[in-house]
Amino acid sequence: METQNFMINAEVTPNPNTLKFNVGRTLVETGSLNFPDKEKAKGVLLAETLFGIPNVLGVMVGHDFVTVTKRPESGWQTLAQPIIETLKKLLSSNQALLPSDVKPTAAVGPDGHATGGGDIERRIKDILDAEIRPAVAMDGGDITFYGYENGVVTLHLQGSCSHCPSSIMTLKMGVENRLKSLIPEIREVVQV
């Protein structure tokens, strides 16, 4: 079997415990797949294999990148290279990295089902998809819509954003201000 040569580079993110690995290949067309723990990765070759590396705490798969979160007490100097080598090996294999029945995140409500779509919800989702999610993906994260009720937007932060020290700043100063400026009915943005 011929091994393809993949150029994978690691980028720092605002979260010191998370690195974004750009793989230069489409992994999911839209959205992201979030595996916040080893249990949720069962049956998903890409995530399950990365969780096999000691000190890996979380994996998120984006359009053309993989975000890996490590244990705070471990160092990237010992983790980054094994992650890159694992990604190269997986990407050059002929195996399905993600099962076809695993779907990228979409807008879901508290019951886990797709939310309805009033005009305000539709506008929120459009702004998130067009402006906010691409910007957050640049830092190795994702933000998905969870719900809207009585002027309060609930969002789910994933990847490098999930436990980032600056996530509250991103949510309040960035996302909340942008949504409020475009949709006056919004009073507050909170995270799940």
Side-chain angles (χ1 to χ4, degrees):
M1 175 175 81
E2 183 181 314
T3 302
Q4 295 176 336
N5 192 11
F6 288 96
M7 184 65 169
I8 297 174
N9 69 322
E11 278 182 39
V12 295
T13 71
N15 183 342
N17 292 314
T18 304
L19 284 181
K20 175 184 176 186
F21 295 87
N22 296 299
V23 299
R25 169 178 150 179
T26 299
L27 299 172
V28 294
E29 287 299 322
T30 60
S32 62
L33 296 166
N34 192 38
F35 305 96
D37 56 54
K38 201 175 207 172
E39 198 61 36
K40 298 230 181 349
K42 285 198 189 306
V44 180
L45 180 63
L46 178 58
E48 201 169 31
T49 305
L50 289 171
F51 273 108
I53 299 171
N55 295 312
V56 169
L57 276 184
V59 174
M60 189 193 86
V61 181
H63 176 68
D64 60 354
F65 65 91
V66 177
T67 300
V68 177
T69 302
K70 68 172 183 65
R71 293 186 188 286
E73 65 274 7
S74 62
W76 285 117
Q77 63 276 15
T78 58
L79 274 174
Q81 199 56 43
I83 291 169
I84 289 171
E85 293 306 318
T86 298
L87 288 170
K88 283 181 179 180
K89 183 178 176 184
L90 286 168
L91 290 168
S92 62
S93 76
N94 288 325
Q95 297 176 290
L97 303 180
L98 305 166
S100 58
D101 63 338
V102 174
K103 301 295 179 212
T105 54
V108 295
D111 61 358
H113 294 94
T115 59
D119 182 56
I120 292 175
E121 284 190 16
R122 183 192 51 74
R123 290 168 50 205
I124 292 166
K125 291 174 193 175
D126 287 348
I127 294 164
L128 288 173
D129 288 342
E131 297 179 32
I132 296 167
R133 290 180 81 188
V136 172
M138 290 173 57
D139 281 336
D142 196 11
I143 294 180
T144 56
F145 179 81
Y146 195 76
Y148 173 78
E149 188 174 341
N150 299 323
V152 178
V153 177
T154 306
L155 302 174
H156 184 218
L157 282 70
Q158 304 175 116
S160 65
C161 294
S162 62
H163 299 290
C164 177
S166 59
S167 65
I168 298 300
M169 181 75 86
T170 298
L171 195 66
K172 291 294 182 183
M173 301 305 289
V175 178
E176 181 173 281
N177 286 346
R178 183 64 179 149
L179 288 174
K180 283 173 143 180
S181 73
L182 297 172
I183 305 170
E185 294 88 347
I186 294 174
R187 292 184 295 108
E188 184 181 20
V189 174
V190 297
Q191 68 177 319
V192 177

